[in-house]
Amino acid sequence: MPRGRYSLHDPHDHTLLAEEHFQCAPGPSGWRYVSRLTAPSGDHLGSVDLALDELGRPIRLELHAASWQVRGAALDGVTWVRTDPTGTHATEGNVRAHAFTGSSPAFLIATARLLRLTPSAPATRVRLVAFTDPVLAPLTVDQSWTLVEREAHATDSGPLTVDEYQVTALDTGEQQTVHLSGDVVLAAPGIELEDLESPPSALD
């Protein structure tokens, strides 16, 4: 069960925005990721709880940020309920999309697991609903994912397989490089792995 800490930065000026303390593990129904976020000051910022089924579809998502809350799942595309800080104005949403995304590294792993790309596969288009910081506002985005390279690196605990993805935002053409190993993000724009207590779990 990987457990560790990511630092989240502004990808443009590299300002430290938050630290995300996480643990994740494959389970009988798929994969689960839970984390809590803290500000550089140490204040609590929010949390992430994401569970996927064996096909990589989100069967439960719960996000908390700035007193806002989102609960969602794959249902007729993806469906969610977003609740305001007072709890009086819950709004529902539904989009014909494949999954969710957001600032947490969990979503990169979830999308890779959903697509299950191979290095020789062509670019794959995916529609996602992003919940944007700091108030978890929903935004539908289209991305293209390509698995550029898969390499095995020797480590003290055995070979570590690293996948390099190219992720393209189809509305702007902006490209990002994402490095994953199993269910851990090694590097991505705005994301740095600061601490890892155990090796990544392989995602079949």
Side-chain angles (χ1 to χ4, degrees):
M1 177 186 293
R3 181 192 305 261
R5 174 172 54 90
Y6 295 108
S7 60
L8 307 183
H9 303 259
D10 184 304
H12 303 291
D13 64 14
H14 306 295
T15 300
L16 178 63
L17 302 176
E19 290 195 334
E20 186 161 341
H21 300 260
F22 73 95
Q23 62 184 56
C24 56
S29 63
W31 181 73
R32 187 177 179 200
Y33 177 103
V34 294
S35 69
R36 56 184 176 83
L37 289 97
T38 56
S41 64
D43 293 340
H44 177 71
L45 287 180
S47 61
V48 178
D49 188 341
L50 174 64
L52 308 180
D53 67 11
E54 66 277 5
L55 298 178
R57 297 172 298 195
I59 53 176
R60 187 183 70 257
L61 170 67
E62 185 169 325
L63 299 176
H64 292 265
S67 300
W68 293 86
Q69 176 180 296
V70 166
R71 294 174 185 260
L75 181 66
D76 296 326
V78 293
T79 299
W80 68 92
V81 175
R82 176 174 173 264
T83 306
D84 67 296
T86 66
T88 57
H89 301 290
T91 56
E92 296 185 10
N94 173 262
V95 171
R96 290 287 180 181
H98 300 93
F100 300 110
T101 192
S103 59
S104 172
F107 295 112
L108 295 173
I109 301 158
T111 303
R113 184 175 174 86
L114 177 71
L115 298 179
R116 298 177 186 272
L117 299 177
T118 60
S120 59
T124 298
R125 179 174 176 152
V126 60
R127 173 162 287 184
L128 305 168
V129 172
F131 293 107
T132 59
D133 298 326
V135 295
L136 304 180
L139 175 68
T140 303
V141 298
D142 290 303
Q143 296 178 343
S144 171
W145 279 61
T146 305
L147 178 52
V148 178
E149 189 175 27
R150 174 171 287 161
E151 284 189 321
H153 297 265
T155 70
D156 293 341
S157 56
L160 184 73
T161 299
V162 178
D163 289 340
E164 177 186 334
Y165 292 90
Q166 180 176 285
V167 181
T168 304
L170 294 181
D171 57 343
T172 64
E174 182 181 9
Q175 294 185 339
Q176 300 181 336
T177 299
V178 175
H179 291 89
L180 306 182
S181 180
D183 56 357
V184 171
V185 177
L186 300 181
I191 299 170
E192 292 185 19
L193 179 64
E194 301 288 355
D195 182 52
L196 185 63
E197 295 182 11
S198 57
S201 301
L203 293 180
D204 298 327

